[in-house]
Amino acid sequence: MMFKHFSESLSALALLALASTAHAGEVTVSGAWLRAVPPVSPTMAGYFELNNDSDSAVTLNGASADFAGMAMLHGTETKADGQRSMTHVDAVTLKPGESVTFAPGGKHLMLMKLSTVPPSGEVRDICLTFTDHDDLCVPFQVRHNDPNR
Amino acid sequence: MQLLARFLTLCWFVGLAACEPAPPDLPVNDRLGGDFTLTDQDGRPWGLGDARGRVVILFFGYTHCPDICPATLARVAQVQRHLREQGAAGAVQPVFITFDPQRDTAQHLKAYLPWFKADIIGLTGSDADIRAVAQRYGVVFLKSGAADRYDFTHSDFIYLLDAQGRVRKLYPADFNIDEVVNDVQTLL
Ligand SMILES: [Cu+2]
């Protein structure tokens, strides 16, 4: 009786421990997609959300995809008069618990020198690279519209 | 409360129509716009006058921009799709003007635009001609970057022109599709 009680609380503890390790130490990418563009397009833009649920800071510094000769992190600057421009973003650092959203009209992944332009509906892996973390390679779905609007 | 009651009585008196919100009146913007002629994707001159009698959705951009420009083109295409469903597609002409004639040649526009399935007329021309048109519509653009890899800082309004080619309304690049469809209908 006593023992059963003890083992029950032990397994509960083990579960708790599991749950907390699953929570800590994970940097995750969600909602990854690429904007569908005409096949003659020289560039494509990618969007995603990056969450740092680990207990150390991570720095995103680039990306790579086998169908793009070049990939960059870009930002969008809007001036007071409404003029917008793209800027090169060297790196984005996320402290533990922080997240960043790459979305249309803001930060985006810019793929250049494309060998092929994947059409709407296709899924392509893109790897996000970090200075202090393993690459995260995730599927990006090609679509016409922003899934978050 | 008493005021409201009085207002409602007045409504009843003058007739219900007077109490409905007035349809949005789109004033003519005479500070912007005007006729122009550039080169279309078939390499032929195309002037705004060629669209007389049709409502025009005019916008500027460049095809090497992957983020905002294809999104705007896709939204304009959605407006066209809505209007087509209502049997009004032929009454509207989307017109895209590039400010990157070096890369957006007539040939490139002809390969790029049909994908959007919106009968978009793509216009290119000399740097000077394009800048002159942009200026008349209050569009500012600035090229920056290396010779082989450059981008543009630019304003990105969408212009609604009536059947006489007059500017009636401006929208931001992430405009509401239904709003534009409704506005177009008030001009038909
Ligand atoms: Cu970009």
Side-chain angles (χ1 to χ4, degrees):
Chain A
M1 186 66 185
M2 183 74 175
F3 180 74
K4 193 184 171 228
H5 200 85
F6 176 72
S7 77
E8 259 175 11
S9 35
L10 197 68
S11 48
L13 260 176
L15 269 175
L16 254 176
L18 263 178
S20 61
T21 45
H23 189 69
E26 292 281 313
V27 179
T28 55
V29 182
S30 58
W33 65 286
L34 288 164
R35 160 108 43 216
V37 289
V40 292
S41 293
T43 56
M44 263 185 126
Y47 311 99
F48 58 90
E49 191 184 311
L50 181 67
N51 288 289
N52 180 10
D53 285 330
S54 77
D55 43 23
S56 48
V58 290
T59 299
L60 172 71
N61 68 352
S64 68
D66 60 8
F67 62 100
M70 196 170 172
M72 283 169 99
L73 307 178
H74 271 183
T76 305
E77 255 171 31
T78 306
K79 290 202 244 167
D81 61 1
Q83 280 189 65
R84 291 206 264 193
S85 62
M86 292 203 290
T87 53
H88 180 219
V89 175
D90 288 320
V92 179
T93 299
L94 296 180
K95 288 187 203 137
E98 281 186 343
S99 66
V100 64
T101 303
F102 280 57
K107 287 193 183 69
H108 53 274
L109 202 63
M110 178 100 163
L111 305 178
M112 289 162 281
K113 301 189 173 152
L114 304 177
S115 55
T116 55
V117 175
S120 177
E122 269 190 25
V123 175
R124 291 298 171 103
D125 276 352
I126 297 176
C127 296
L128 302 181
T129 60
F130 301 84
T131 56
D132 42 15
H133 190 281
D134 290 341
D135 289 2
L136 284 178
C137 300
V138 295
F140 279 64
Q141 201 199 16
V142 184
R143 36 182 310 141
H144 287 282
N145 298 311
D146 186 343
N148 306 305
R149 286 184 56 133
Chain B
M1 198 62 211
Q2 210 185 349
L3 257 174
L4 180 71
R6 221 183 280 173
F7 178 67
L8 288 174
T9 319
L10 183 74
C11 287
W12 175 79
F13 187 72
V14 274
L16 276 172
C19 294
E20 277 168 13
D25 189 31
L26 303 177
V28 173
N29 183 331
D30 42 26
R31 288 170 297 122
L32 292 177
D35 280 344
F36 58 82
T37 299
L38 289 168
T39 304
D40 72 10
Q41 64 264 51
D42 291 316
R44 288 192 288 254
W46 190 91
L48 186 58
D50 294 342
R52 237 4 69 86
R54 274 175 293 167
V55 170
V56 170
I57 298 173
L58 177 73
F59 53 109
F60 297 75
Y62 64 113
T63 69
H64 277 58
C65 129
D67 183 33
I68 295 169
C69 309
T72 303
L73 281 155
R75 297 178 84 70
V76 168
Q78 260 177 287
V79 169
Q80 268 297 68
R81 213 163 301 135
H82 278 66
L83 290 166
R84 201 174 290 149
E85 280 162 19
Q86 295 161 15
V92 181
Q93 180 59 64
V95 177
F96 170 80
I97 301 179
T98 182
F99 23 65
D100 186 12
Q102 196 182 322
R103 294 182 299 196
D104 289 343
T105 57
Q107 200 185 359
H108 182 69
L109 292 176
K110 195 171 173 69
Y112 184 87
L113 291 172
W115 184 85
F116 292 95
K117 298 190 180 74
D119 304 315
I120 299 166
I121 286 183
L123 298 178
T124 186
S126 70
D127 271 318
D129 287 350
I130 291 172
R131 198 164 284 282
V133 177
Q135 225 153 40
R136 296 170 72 171
Y137 285 83
V139 171
V140 191
F141 62 95
L142 187 75
K143 194 168 167 176
S144 64
D148 63 332
R149 215 186 72 227
Y150 52 87
D151 284 299
F152 290 88
T153 297
H154 61 96
S155 30
D156 46 16
F157 292 112
I158 316 301
Y159 301 81
L160 181 64
L161 275 54
D162 65 20
Q164 287 87 54
R166 301 172 301 184
V167 175
R168 300 297 287 269
K169 197 166 173 181
L170 271 63
Y171 309 93
D174 58 349
F175 61 84
N176 180 292
I177 290 159
D178 291 333
E179 180 187 345
V180 177
V181 170
N182 290 338
D183 290 340
V184 165
Q185 276 158 340
T186 68
L187 297 179
L188 294 179

